[in-house]
Amino acid sequence: MARRRHKKRTHVGAQNRSSNGVLPNSSAIRGPKTLVVRMGAGDVGSSVSQLVKDVRNMMEPRTASRLKARLTLQLVDIPIKADGQQERKSNRLRDYTTMAGPLGVTHLLLFSRSSTGNTNLRLALFPRGPTLHFRVERYSLCKDVRKAMKHPKGGEKDYLSPPLLVMNNFISPEEGDQSKRSVPKHLETLSTTIFQSLFPPISPQSTPLSSIRRVLLLDRQVPESTATNDSAEDKPYVINLRHFAIVTKPMGLSRGIRRINAAARTLKEHASSKGLPNLGKLEDVADYILDPSAAGGGFTSGSESEMDTDAEVEMVNVNRKKVLSRKQAEEARKSEGDSQHGGTEAQKRAVKMIELGPRITLRMTKVEEGVCGGKVMWHEYLSKSEDQIQQMERVWETRKRDKAERKRVQKENVEKKRVSKASKKVATDDVQEGAQNNNDSNDSESWDDEISETG
């Protein structure tokens, strides 16, 4: 018998496909994925709802960006059905944690509003925790940031790759008295690790520079010691979050030439003449470049043509090229000439960051072991003595033992039910087999009687 053919080109990994339709070794499972949720959709208000949308855009592309608009969660271009997972007022944390496992979600960002009106953020590492609790002290939406800028920037291509994470002052300097720290040393390392795990790591050797289009800045405010008796309450753990877009421009060009290049790109992409300089009163384009007063262009000052040397970087053109045949390569060399021989050259470009938003100021208030629950590892407003800490440890040990005992009893009960069900099935089969044998014997006896009567 011929061996059955398995499709390998169009059905890659068909034998190893999981029940939810995601390949176990695909890029949909590897790497961090976030789920930004607003808890209590009808209670947080319109501003917090818009803040949640801005944070989702900031966490692109490895996040569920269309959690409310559709009944699908799209993670890394792999749409996965999640029926009933719209943000409703009746949704609870369990509804999202249940769907986080099959979708490969690693981080949960939960926005909520307390009864006192404070906006809170919980950053949980799924599935075992820990959870960082923050109070949102101040925030500015993306639309407010754009209104405050003269030339705002916003492009869809900027969100095709994750941002570059920049962290500052997360590890405080060594101090003699540990009680004066805002948080313990090991919790500082823990929070640093959690924020670093929000985005995939970057390899300098393999990551192309063109894919880094955004920067996410996390700056921790380190308060200065004004007195020798400062306590931990006087040193809060505050983080400022800023989101920027990276813009590069070639160096050595005047403002006029840059305007012409920008207008040419706009005309090519959008077929619009917006931004073209008015050259109707000039006889030649050279007048526009050389004359400082012509159409507002030309070399009017050094600041227009050159930027600060601190903002200059050298970039090598690493764009992918089409593989040519030998004949095509020879024709290309002949057309280009010997001047292009020698490989790529570095080009100086000016780097500028334009803020995209949102701006958020976070203040850490609590750290828990589990996912939004469990033993409290640190609290900003509550402090316990050594005896209270030991008592709390004993309470949690007792809870763990009780939980393990409940699991053991439950497992034994399930095993007993399985054995009882199997024994009942065997007894039922025996009864049915005995009844069948009796019927067969009765049929044989009646058949013998009929044969004797006919004989």
Side-chain angles (χ1 to χ4, degrees), residues 48 241 329 340 446 451:
V48 178
L241 186 146
Q340 298 295 333
S446 61
I451 292 177

Side-chain angles (χ1 to χ4, degrees), residues 366-382:
K366 187 171 61 173
V367 180
E368 292 178 332
E369 275 192 352
V371 179
C372 302
K375 183 173 64 176
V376 178
M377 303 172 62
W378 175 82
H379 203 288
E380 183 182 10
Y381 305 111
L382 301 178

Side-chain angles (χ1 to χ4, degrees), residues 411-422:
K411 187 176 181 180
E412 291 179 356
N413 294 335
V414 171
E415 186 66 21
K416 288 179 182 179
K417 290 181 180 179
R418 188 185 65 81
V419 173
S420 176
K421 186 177 181 180

Side-chain angles (χ1 to χ4, degrees), residues 50-69:
Q50 185 62 39
L51 177 63
V52 171
K53 294 180 181 179
D54 294 343
V55 174
R56 286 175 186 165
N57 293 332
M58 181 184 67
M59 302 300 294
E60 287 282 357
R62 307 182 68 88
T63 186
S65 58
R66 291 193 290 254
L67 181 61
K68 180 184 176 182

Side-chain angles (χ1 to χ4, degrees), residues 14-28:
Q15 300 298 323
N16 299 325
R17 188 176 295 272
S18 60
S19 60
N20 57 3
V22 183
L23 295 178
N25 296 325
S26 64
S27 60

Side-chain angles (χ1 to χ4, degrees), residues 228-394:
T228 58
N229 56 353
D230 288 343
S231 59
E233 289 78 5
D234 300 330
K235 298 181 179 181
Y237 193 95
V238 180
I239 298 175
N240 292 322
L241 186 146
R242 305 283 292 274
H243 186 212
F244 300 92
I246 301 176
V247 179
T248 60
K249 296 181 180 179
M251 296 292 296
L253 300 178
S254 65
R255 178 181 295 180
I257 297 178
R258 290 201 301 268
R259 288 180 59 187
I260 293 177
N261 292 337
R265 289 194 299 269
T266 304
L267 185 63
K268 182 179 179 180
E269 295 177 0
H270 306 286
S272 174
S273 60
K274 182 179 180 180
L276 285 173
N278 186 10
L279 305 181
K281 299 181 180 180
L282 303 179
E283 297 180 357
D284 192 359
V285 70
D287 298 338
Y288 169 72
I289 298 175
L290 299 177
D291 188 4
S293 60
F299 290 97
T300 57
S301 64
S303 60
E304 293 184 356
S305 59
E306 300 292 338
M307 296 183 64
D308 191 3
T309 56
D310 295 339
E312 296 180 6
V313 295
E314 291 186 357
M315 299 180 62
V316 180
N317 187 12
V318 291
N319 295 330
R320 296 181 180 179
K321 296 182 179 180
K322 182 180 179 181
V323 178
L324 305 177
S325 63
R326 182 180 299 178
K327 184 178 180 180
Q328 292 175 347
E330 291 178 357
E331 294 178 356
R333 281 196 297 269
K334 290 180 181 179
S335 61
E336 293 177 1
D338 297 334
S339 60
Q340 298 295 333
H341 183 71
T344 58
E345 297 182 357
Q347 181 185 11
K348 285 188 177 182
R349 301 184 70 89
V351 180
K352 183 179 180 181
M353 291 197 303
I354 300 178
E355 188 168 4
L356 298 175
R359 300 180 185 178
I360 307 177
T361 301
L362 303 173
R363 178 170 179 168
M364 185 185 294
T365 57
K366 187 171 61 173
V367 180
E368 292 178 332
E369 275 192 352
V371 179
C372 302
K375 183 173 64 176
V376 178
M377 303 172 62
W378 175 82
H379 203 288
E380 183 182 10
Y381 305 111
L382 301 178
S383 59
K384 296 184 178 181
S385 61
E386 293 294 335
D387 296 338
Q388 293 176 341
I389 294 176
Q390 293 178 3
Q391 183 179 1
M392 184 182 65
E393 292 288 344
R394 289 193 294 268

